[in-house]
Structures are given as structure tokens and as C-alpha cells.
Amino acid sequence: MLPSVEVDPWRFCRDAQSWEIQSDVAAFPRLAREFTQGALFCRVVGRVDQRGSLSLHVSISGEVGLTCQRCLGNMPYTVGLERTLYLARNEAELERLDALPGSDAIQAGERLSLVELVEDEVLLSLPLAPMHAEGECSLRGAQ
């Protein structure tokens, strides 16, 4: 189990701090329930842009195993995420940042769990019903 990594998100961004980890998915509490196997490389970098907006650049990559919903067999899945998340102090700022083209924002408080942030991003990227391509299931009759 990964230790909780909590940061002050505002300082993390202002100081251009970074955090990275390479770990088996079984070490992530919520991801261990979704994946049958695999490992992820995760990096979170704090930034301040030219307008003074604070953001987190999140990169996650790796190969994991999902359960195919058609045949219930193991299905390899490639995770490849690159996202920039702007920090919002309140609901109004969150709505304003989300309205910008190509912008994603999160409402941040005094503490932010980087492990939970990574888990959220991975879980949001997963297909709703993972399935092998037509004709690739391991069990006959499951197609």
C-alpha cells in the first residue's frame, strides 16, 4: 500500500515542486479493485503560468490488465494520460476556469492527496465497459 502523500497544493505549484512514483497498481487502494495486474509511472508537477494561474501537470503511463466485460478474461490496457489541472479556490473560480477552452480545473483546499489525484485521473480515463475487440475474446461463445 502506498503511503499517503499530502501536499499544500498552492505551495506545491508556487514552488514548482514535483512528485513521481513507479508502482504496481496493487499499491493504489482504489486502482487495485479495477485492475488485475500492471504498473504505472506517475508524475505530478506544480506550475505557475504567465497569467499567475496555478496548475498541476499530471502524467501517468503504464500497462495494466482490465477484465473484459464480454468474456471475463484479462484484457491488456495502455494508460497514457497528460493533463493540466488548474487550481480553483471556490465554485465560481472553478466554473470560470472550466469554461476556458481546453481547460480542466479542480477545487483545491489546504491539502491535496497526490495518490488520490492520480487514482481519480486514471479512473476517469477508463472505458465504461472494457471489452476485447470483436473476435478477440478468450472464451468461445462469448462473442
Side-chain angles (χ1 to χ4, degrees), residues 68 70-74 132-133 135-143:
C68 172
R70 184 178 290 136
C71 70
L72 301 180
N74 187 51
H132 289 105
E136 291 184 10
C137 284
S138 58
L139 299 175
R140 291 182 185 263
Q143 302 164 26

Side-chain angles (χ1 to χ4, degrees), residues 27-67:
F28 290 87
R30 291 184 293 155
L31 298 185
R33 292 182 285 217
E34 296 295 325
F35 300 118
T36 57
Q37 61 193 19
L40 295 173
F41 174 75
C42 313
R43 175 181 289 138
V44 180
V45 179
R47 298 181 174 169
V48 180
D49 69 13
Q50 61 273 19
R51 296 177 316 223
S53 297
L54 303 180
S55 65
L56 298 167
H57 183 76
V58 181
S59 303
I60 306 166
S61 60
E63 293 288 326
V64 296
L66 290 171
T67 301

Side-chain angles (χ1 to χ4, degrees), residues 1-140:
M1 192 71 64
L2 288 175
S4 178
V5 180
E6 290 203 1
V7 298
D8 172 337
W10 309 100
R11 183 179 318 149
F12 189 85
C13 292
R14 279 192 304 270
D15 295 348
Q17 295 178 22
S18 66
W19 172 76
E20 65 181 45
I21 189 167
Q22 184 158 352
S23 178
D24 192 87
V25 291
F28 290 87
R30 291 184 293 155
L31 298 185
R33 292 182 285 217
E34 296 295 325
F35 300 118
T36 57
Q37 61 193 19
L40 295 173
F41 174 75
C42 313
R43 175 181 289 138
V44 180
V45 179
R47 298 181 174 169
V48 180
D49 69 13
Q50 61 273 19
R51 296 177 316 223
S53 297
L54 303 180
S55 65
L56 298 167
H57 183 76
V58 181
S59 303
I60 306 166
S61 60
E63 293 288 326
V64 296
L66 290 171
T67 301
C68 172
Q69 298 303 299
R70 184 178 290 136
C71 70
L72 301 180
N74 187 51
M75 185 183 107
Y77 182 77
T78 300
V79 176
L81 296 169
E82 291 279 335
R83 292 196 36 159
T84 298
L85 301 171
Y86 288 91
L87 300 186
R89 293 189 185 278
N90 53 47
E91 193 71 34
E93 193 174 9
L94 182 67
E95 287 178 21
R96 182 182 62 76
L97 288 168
D98 270 341
L100 296 174
S103 176
D104 289 309
I106 58 170
Q107 192 169 337
E110 294 179 18
R111 307 298 300 159
L112 177 69
S113 167
L114 296 179
V115 171
E116 288 179 13
L117 176 72
V118 165
E119 287 179 317
D120 289 346
E121 291 304 313
V122 171
L123 292 171
L124 287 169
S125 76
L126 295 178
L128 288 176
M131 288 186 266
H132 289 105
E134 210 46 57
E136 291 184 10
C137 284
S138 58
L139 299 175
R140 291 182 185 263

